[in-house]
Amino acid sequence: MKVLQHSEHTLKTALISQNPVLVSQYEKLDARERRLMSEAFQPASHLFGPITVHSQSDWITSHPEVPQDFEQFFTDRHRNIPCPEKHIIYMQSIGSLGNTRVISEEYIKWLKGYCEAFFYGLTVKFLEPVSVSATKCSFRVNEHTHNLQIHAGHILAFLKKKKPKDAFCIVGITMIDLYPRDSWNFVFGQASLTDGVGIFSFARYGKDFYSSRYEGKVSKPQRTSSSDYSVFDNYYSPEITSILLWRSCKALLRWIDEESNDLSRATPRKSSDHVNLQKPVEAFQDWREWIVKCIAVLEK
């Protein structure tokens, strides 16, 4: 286990710029915002702690990348900025997000609410769900987990064609595992900043993905035809739990505490659809406490 921690000088160099445009933005910060920002410069800050690398397989260790300071991010010509003509985040579910239609709809409602709270000022819209076969993507059976996987790059190409003209971006979400190329074991997600498209899988965030109880496993690691998508019919989706939701989107205070925290009743289309679902937020409490601490700094 390794702890990555930077000095106050390093943090200030990375976060503060002499760029006139950025300087003018800093000057607009009020005293409360300046207090919160100054917390990021303190190595012993109770709000912004060091990063702990738990193993050599962690991304930050196994995939070293050139550091980027805030000015480089701000001036990056590929950085997309929302505008009145492009202010909508479109989300496209691929395959089922839950074991029933009602559960899928509730999960979408929770995720939409979170995204609109996190990306404040942007509108989030869900497109009609599509099947795996509609994407015409390649797929395989993972030789280690024996779970089905779909090709992330092919999904991005599909999403690029579907991207609406008023989209800030379009993001695919799926409960099916992803792989970016034949030589890789898996990937959680992949995106193209220039095209404004991305795909993310929640499959490995389920509590039983690696266990023998996971019903999405294929009994034998046989090769399937790249055009026979029937293997995805009735494909098992992981249970939507608090841990899965927390890992998927972490937390915002209002979103955690809003009234839908109480027992919510999905509107059934027929009597057999009736279900009571409670938004699973118990794993969000550490993040709630962190947000409360940030608000306390702002309100001093």
Side-chain angles (χ1 to χ4, degrees):
M1 190 168 65
K2 180 180 179 182
V3 177
L4 302 180
Q5 190 167 22
H6 299 292
S7 67
E8 180 178 351
H9 173 75
T10 300
L11 292 171
K12 284 186 175 181
T13 301
L15 293 173
I16 296 181
S17 168
Q18 299 303 315
N19 182 309
V21 179
L22 278 177
V23 169
S24 68
Q25 295 295 317
Y26 298 146
E27 291 174 345
K28 295 177 183 178
L29 298 178
D30 61 26
R32 299 173 305 165
E33 293 167 329
R34 291 175 187 272
R35 280 198 302 271
L36 184 61
M37 186 174 182
S38 68
E39 280 285 330
F41 306 144
Q42 310 302 322
S45 169
H46 71 295
L47 289 180
F48 304 101
I51 296 174
T52 302
V53 178
H54 295 278
S55 74
Q56 291 301 311
S57 63
D58 279 19
W59 184 274
I60 199 170
T61 301
S62 58
H63 296 82
E65 299 176 348
V66 178
Q68 181 189 50
D69 60 30
F70 186 72
E71 182 172 354
Q72 290 172 326
F73 162 77
F74 184 80
T75 58
D76 188 337
R77 62 187 180 89
H78 296 302
R79 183 170 68 93
N80 290 330
I81 303 174
C83 62
E85 294 77 25
K86 297 182 181 294
H87 68 285
I88 300 176
I89 297 175
Y90 284 94
M91 303 191 78
Q92 174 70 73
S93 57
I94 298 169
S96 175
L97 296 183
N99 291 335
T100 69
R101 178 190 56 76
V102 177
I103 290 176
S104 295
E105 290 178 354
E106 282 294 278
Y107 185 70
I108 286 173
K109 183 184 73 175
W110 295 331
L111 192 57
K112 180 180 185 294
Y114 170 81
C115 288
E116 289 187 329
F118 191 92
F119 299 103
Y120 185 74
L122 296 182
T123 301
V124 177
K125 292 184 179 181
F126 268 82
L127 299 172
E128 283 296 314
V130 298
S131 62
V132 176
S133 61
T135 70
K136 295 183 169 56
C137 68
S138 295
F139 60 90
R140 72 180 186 185
V141 176
N142 184 285
E143 63 180 344
H144 302 291
T145 66
H146 297 173
N147 287 317
L148 285 165
Q149 294 180 300
I150 52 180
H151 194 290
H154 295 174
I155 299 295
L156 293 183
F158 167 77
L159 293 172
K160 184 178 178 180
K161 294 177 181 178
K162 285 202 66 177
K163 184 180 177 183
K165 292 183 179 179
D166 59 353
F168 172 65
C169 65
I170 180 171
V171 182
I173 56 173
T174 183
M175 292 293 189
I176 303 169
D177 205 23
L178 300 172
Y179 72 103
R181 58 179 69 97
D182 290 340
S183 60
W184 281 51
N185 181 22
F186 76 96
V187 68
F188 284 110
Q190 191 172 353
S192 169
L193 297 181
T194 53
D195 292 329
V197 297
I199 175 66
F200 190 82
S201 169
F202 297 149
R204 291 178 183 249
Y205 286 174
K207 64 180 181 180
D208 56 359
F209 179 82
Y210 298 98
S211 74
S212 59
R213 301 189 310 276
Y214 186 64
E215 298 172 18
K217 288 181 182 292
V218 179
S219 57
K220 295 180 181 179
Q222 77 275 15
R223 296 191 65 84
T224 57
S225 168
S226 60
S227 60
D228 180 13
Y229 293 95
S230 63
V231 69
F232 290 96
D233 292 346
N234 301 316
Y235 187 73
Y236 175 82
S237 297
E239 180 185 359
I240 297 173
T241 63
S242 177
I243 293 295
L244 186 147
L245 199 59
W246 171 68
R247 289 171 174 171
S248 302
C249 58
K250 298 186 179 177
L252 292 180
L253 188 61
R254 186 190 305 172
W255 184 84
I256 297 172
D257 290 345
E258 66 187 1
E259 290 182 359
S260 58
N261 234 4
D262 298 328
L263 196 64
S264 60
R265 186 181 300 272
T267 302
R269 294 182 183 176
K270 54 185 181 181
S271 58
S272 59
D273 283 344
H274 178 77
V275 65
N276 287 329
L277 295 174
Q278 185 174 11
K279 185 165 68 172
V281 295
E282 63 271 13
F284 289 67
Q285 294 311 307
D286 286 346
W287 288 94
R288 184 189 183 282
E289 291 176 10
W290 181 81
I291 296 170
V292 169
K293 290 178 181 178
C294 289
I295 293 173
V297 172
L298 287 167
E299 293 179 343
K300 280 183 181 179

